[in-house]
């Protein structure tokens, strides 16, 4: 049988003492019997225990044996301070008392009456050891980031038998834990480890989770607990008051945040630009239209990171130009397309009109004029209205490229013998390439020719051409004057007459015009090869106007004259 060195030495000493004692003792001849024998016992470490042994009438030597080794002779157990033999020796009581049972007391005990050659039945003393206080790793507060699962590990060490571990939350046992145990070096005690997994969806901050460890030594168990601390980025809400709000009024932004760990910083921005002068959870400002399109953002930071939230302000403001329309210059017969974009809040209404006209041409951003004519030229207005807030408008011009248009009074007055003027006003886009006055066989574009001078002046609306005659004679009142303008798109002609101021003059069909008309028609009747270019041009102008200026009987007279080769009288 195994024994440690010290125990074996004590047993040898006891044997030697017993041999000496037996050599001087004698047997009384009285028959001895056990009235009490030790029984199997289970005891918790740290408690006292008494193993009974009574042999009435026996006055010899009694030995207590532990796992085959004698503890001492009689009542001398000096080698085991916690062991004591108690009871009335005279009546044969030899009980073994153990104070504060320890794990080393877990053994088989016998009570032996040496002279009577008796031994009790073997009694098994089983020592139970409760687990040490359980420990949850990371406790008493276990922190984790929101969205992460929870893994808890609980240790219950140095127990005999091994401890059982359960997890409890809100009074309910949590299932699904992993369990393992390890036998210690002493071969008797064991340590237990339990690991609990909880999914993110089943965790709430502030929850208390208990680890309870128990065995036969402590049926009610020992327990410890942890509190769950779920850490998360700031949860932010940004409020704006009041809304809606008229441009130019005060608005308050409040950034409320819940964060674990706590908030460390607030940062404000508008349209992506940081507002350095504000650092708290509130921002007050007088708003303008830009707050409608440029969001105000609040960024809240804690040790885990930042959360950013932004809001636009429902600002009421009048129309503001987003895309400015441009004046157009288009060719006659082409389409003209104007684009005019406004912003405003609440929703605005757009109206296109031509200046001076009450007709609405469009309610859209785009105004399209199909196949423009010259009368379409002018000013156009794009007007936007935000109900109950304001209005705005933008004017653009449409210029139509086409032949010149001449406007003039057909009859001008001048006194005989003095200076007189006749004028024609030309509207032309592009500007006229050439302006010419013609009368009889004379063509004058600029400068002076005899008594005649032509002056041309450009104005904002067009070109004014003036024919000035000095020392007016009666024949000037009988002459037809043509003002003609050309550009790359064509030409226009206006016939103008001079009337004597304060005098009497016949109607446009008066026979006083016959000599002039006769001369011109006769000229036009010649073959074109005999005429100068000026004469041909003059003839064409005359042909277009003759029916308008003469009475029917005069036209008939001129027609006969031209056919007969009539020679016109000399003009004054």
């Amino acid at each position: 049988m195994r024994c440690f060195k010290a125990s074996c030495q004590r047993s040898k000493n006891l044997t030697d003492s017993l041999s000496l004692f037996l050599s001087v003792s004698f047997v009384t001849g009285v028959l001895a019997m056990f009235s009490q024998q030790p029984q199997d016992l289970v005891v918790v470490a740290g408690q006292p225990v008494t193993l009974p042994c009574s042999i009435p009438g026996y006055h010899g030597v009694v030995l207590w044996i532990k796992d085959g080794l004698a503890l001492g002779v009689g009542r001398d157990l000096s080698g085991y301070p916690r062991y004591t033999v108690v009871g009335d020796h005279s009546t044969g009581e030899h009980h073994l008392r153990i104070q504060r049972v320890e794990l080393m007391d877990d053994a088989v005990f016998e009570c032996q009456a040496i002279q009577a050659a008796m031994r009790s039945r073997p009694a098994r003393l089983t020592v139970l050891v409760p687990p040490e206080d359980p420990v949850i790793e990371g406790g008493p507060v276990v922190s984790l980031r929101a969205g992460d699962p929870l893994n808890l590990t609980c240790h219950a060490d140095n127990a005999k038998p091994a401890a059982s571990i359960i997890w409890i939350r809100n009074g309910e046992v949590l299932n699904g834990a992993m369990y393992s145990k390890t036998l210690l070096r002493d071969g008797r005690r064991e340590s237990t480890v339990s690991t609990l997994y909880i999914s993110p969806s089943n965790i709430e901050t502030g929850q208390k989770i208990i680890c309870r460890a128990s065995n036969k030594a402590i049926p009610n168990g020992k327990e410890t607990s942890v509190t769950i601390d779920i850490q998360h980025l700031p949860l932010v809400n940004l409020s704006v008051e009041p809304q809606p709000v008229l441009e130019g009024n005060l608005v308050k932004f409040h950034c409320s945040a819940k964060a674990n760990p706590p908030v460390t910083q607030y940062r404000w921005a508008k349209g992506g630009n940081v507002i350095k002068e504000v650092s708290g959870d509130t921002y007050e400002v007088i708003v303008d239209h830009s707050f409608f399109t440029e969001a105000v953002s609040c960024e809240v930071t804690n040790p885990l990171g930042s959360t950013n939230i932004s809001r636009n302000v429902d600002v009421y403001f009048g129309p503001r130009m987003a895309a400015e329309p441009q004046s157009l210059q288009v060719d006659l017969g082409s389409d003209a397309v104007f684009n005019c974009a406004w912003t405003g809040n609440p929703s605005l209404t757009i109206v296109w009109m031509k200046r001076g006209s009450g007709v609405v041409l469009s309610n859209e951003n785009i105004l399209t004029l199909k196949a423009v004519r010259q009368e379409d030229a002018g000013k156009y207005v794009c007007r936007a209205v935000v109900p109950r807030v304001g209005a705005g408008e933008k004017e653009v011009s449409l210029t139509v490229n086409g032949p010149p248009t001449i406007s003039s009074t057909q009859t001008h007055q001048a006194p005989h013998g003095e200076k007189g003027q006749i004028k024609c006003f030309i509207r032309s886009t592009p500007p006229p390439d050439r302006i010419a006055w013609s009368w009889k066989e004379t063509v004058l574009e600029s400068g002076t020719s005899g008594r005649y001078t032509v002056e041309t002046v450009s104005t904002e609306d067009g070109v004014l051409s003036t024919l000035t005659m000095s020392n007016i004679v009666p024949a000037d009142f009988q002459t037809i004057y043509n003002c003609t303008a050309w550009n790359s798109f064509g030409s226009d002609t206006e016939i103008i007459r001079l009337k004597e101021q304060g005098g009497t003059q016949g109607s446009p069909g008066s026979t006083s015009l016959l000599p002039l008309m006769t001369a011109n028609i006769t000229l036009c009747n010649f073959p074109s090869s005999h005429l100068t270019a000026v004469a041909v041009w003059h003839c064409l102008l005359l042909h277009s106007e003759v029916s308008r200026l003469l009475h029917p009987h005069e036209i008939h007279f001129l027609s006969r004259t031209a056919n007969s080769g009539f020679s016109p009288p000399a003009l004054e």
Side-chain angles (χ1 to χ4, degrees):
M1 178 176 294
R2 291 187 309 157
C3 66
F4 295 102
K5 183 176 181 181
S7 298
C8 290
Q9 183 62 42
R10 285 197 299 269
S11 295
K12 182 177 183 301
N13 295 337
L14 287 174
T15 302
D16 294 341
S17 298
L18 178 59
S19 299
L20 178 63
F21 180 81
L22 289 177
S23 65
V24 296
S25 62
F26 61 94
V27 178
T28 62
V30 178
L31 181 65
M33 295 181 62
F34 285 103
S35 63
Q36 282 185 306
Q37 296 186 57
Q39 305 290 326
D40 290 346
L41 290 177
V42 177
V43 63
V44 176
Q47 296 178 348
V49 66
T50 299
L51 299 176
C53 180
S54 294
I55 311 173
Y58 176 76
H59 301 286
V61 175
V62 175
L63 294 181
W64 276 96
I65 307 299
K66 175 185 176 185
D67 285 339
L69 298 177
L71 297 176
V73 178
R75 294 178 179 261
D76 181 14
L77 303 179
S78 57
Y80 298 88
R82 294 183 295 106
Y83 291 9
T84 307
V85 177
V86 297
D88 186 353
H89 177 72
S90 63
T91 62
E93 293 178 349
H94 303 276
H95 310 315
L96 179 62
R97 174 79 171 177
I98 304 176
Q99 300 290 337
R100 301 182 306 281
V101 173
E102 296 178 0
L103 186 60
M104 63 183 299
D105 301 324
D106 190 289
V108 176
F109 290 83
E110 290 182 6
C111 177
Q112 296 182 1
I114 301 302
Q115 286 85 350
M118 293 190 308
R119 61 195 305 175
S120 68
R121 71 172 66 92
R124 180 73 186 181
L125 179 62
T126 300
V127 179
L128 303 180
V129 180
E132 295 177 358
D133 291 341
V135 176
I136 300 176
E137 293 180 1
V141 177
V142 174
S143 298
L144 69 155
R145 190 160 182 163
D148 290 347
L150 175 63
N151 286 288
L152 293 176
T153 299
C154 183
H155 296 264
D157 298 328
N158 301 320
K160 179 179 178 294
S164 296
I165 295 177
I166 61 173
W167 295 90
I168 302 171
R169 179 178 63 182
N170 298 330
E172 296 182 357
V173 175
L174 300 174
N175 297 317
M178 303 289 291
Y179 180 88
S180 65
K181 58 184 180 179
T182 302
L183 183 65
L184 302 184
R185 282 188 172 185
D186 59 22
R188 301 187 183 200
R189 292 173 300 163
E190 293 179 283
S191 291
T192 304
V193 178
S194 179
T195 301
L196 177 68
Y197 172 88
I198 303 178
S199 65
S201 60
N202 199 23
I203 311 171
E204 293 182 7
T205 192
Q207 283 183 337
K208 183 178 180 180
I209 297 180
I210 297 171
C211 170
R212 180 180 294 168
S214 63
N215 66 0
K216 291 180 180 179
I218 182 167
N220 292 330
K222 296 180 177 181
E223 62 182 38
T224 186
S225 65
V226 292
T227 301
I228 306 304
D229 176 40
I230 299 180
Q231 298 186 343
H232 55 83
L233 292 171
L235 304 175
V236 183
N237 179 60
L238 179 57
S239 63
V240 183
E241 294 293 339
Q243 284 213 88
V245 61
L246 193 63
E247 184 177 29
N249 286 314
L250 183 69
V251 167
K252 180 179 180 180
F253 298 85
H254 180 64
C255 191
S256 58
K258 295 181 179 179
N260 184 27
V263 173
T264 57
Q265 181 185 30
Y266 290 89
R267 190 173 73 159
W268 293 87
K270 174 178 174 283
N273 298 314
V274 175
I275 305 171
K276 296 181 180 179
E277 59 270 20
V278 183
S279 59
D281 62 355
T282 301
Y283 170 44
E284 293 185 352
V285 64
I286 294 176
V287 297
D288 59 18
H289 68 279
S290 65
F291 285 80
F292 184 70
T293 54
E294 297 178 13
V296 171
S297 64
C298 172
E299 182 180 86
V300 184
T301 302
N302 73 351
L304 295 184
S306 300
T307 301
N308 191 299
I309 188 171
S310 61
R311 292 281 301 274
N312 290 86
V313 184
D314 189 13
V315 182
Y316 283 1
F317 61 95
R320 300 186 66 87
M321 183 67 68
E324 187 170 340
Q326 302 297 317
S327 295
L328 297 177
Q329 182 173 330
V330 300
D331 293 345
L332 184 68
S334 300
D335 294 345
V337 180
F338 293 100
N339 185 17
C340 172
W342 297 84
T343 61
N345 188 42
S347 298
L348 49 76
T349 300
I350 291 180
V351 175
W352 278 99
M353 291 187 297
K354 188 176 183 181
R355 180 71 79 187
S357 170
V359 178
V360 176
L361 302 176
S362 175
N363 290 117
E364 305 295 333
N365 289 347
I366 295 178
L367 169 64
T368 301
L369 301 176
K370 296 285 189 180
V372 297
R373 299 169 297 176
Q374 285 190 326
E375 52 265 35
D376 292 326
K379 305 290 186 181
Y380 289 82
V381 177
C382 176
R383 180 175 174 82
V385 178
V386 176
R388 301 183 302 277
V389 178
E393 65 177 40
K394 180 66 177 179
E395 182 181 87
V396 290
S397 298
L398 174 62
T399 303
V400 179
N401 294 328
T405 300
I406 298 177
S407 60
S408 177
T409 303
Q410 291 186 347
T411 302
H412 291 69
Q413 292 187 351
H416 180 271
E418 297 185 13
K419 181 168 68 175
Q421 289 182 333
I422 54 178
K423 303 175 184 286
C424 70
F425 186 78
I426 303 100
R427 289 183 174 86
S428 176
T429 304
D433 302 320
R434 180 185 175 200
I435 301 173
W437 288 90
S438 65
W439 64 96
K440 298 181 182 178
E441 294 188 8
T442 302
V443 176
L444 185 60
E445 296 183 19
S446 63
T448 301
S449 176
R451 296 185 298 114
Y452 301 94
T453 300
V454 173
E455 293 179 320
T456 302
V457 178
S458 296
T459 69
E460 182 179 351
D461 297 323
V463 179
L464 178 64
S465 184
T466 303
L467 176 62
T468 302
M469 295 164 278
S470 62
N471 193 22
I472 292 177
V473 298
D476 294 332
F477 299 122
Q478 307 299 323
T479 302
I480 297 175
Y481 299 94
N482 294 279
C483 177
T484 304
W486 295 264
N487 68 9
S488 57
F489 288 86
S491 63
D492 191 22
T493 297
E494 184 72 25
I495 294 180
I496 306 171
R497 296 180 60 203
L498 186 64
K499 179 180 178 181
E500 184 177 0
Q501 185 174 343
T504 59
Q505 186 169 351
S507 67
S510 171
T511 55
S512 62
L513 290 177
L514 285 176
L516 178 62
M517 293 298 180
T518 303
N520 280 284
I521 289 177
T522 301
L523 177 65
C524 293
N525 196 42
F526 291 155
S528 59
S529 60
H530 294 81
L531 299 176
T532 65
V534 172
V536 171
W537 172 76
H538 190 68
C539 290
L540 293 175
L541 293 178
L542 177 64
H543 179 74
S544 65
E545 295 295 328
V546 72
S547 61
R548 183 170 62 84
L549 297 176
L550 300 179
H551 293 301
H553 70 276
E554 292 175 319
I555 296 174
H556 178 68
F557 172 78
L558 290 173
S559 178
R560 288 188 296 106
T561 302
N563 291 331
S564 63
F566 173 76
S567 298
L571 297 178
E572 297 181 6

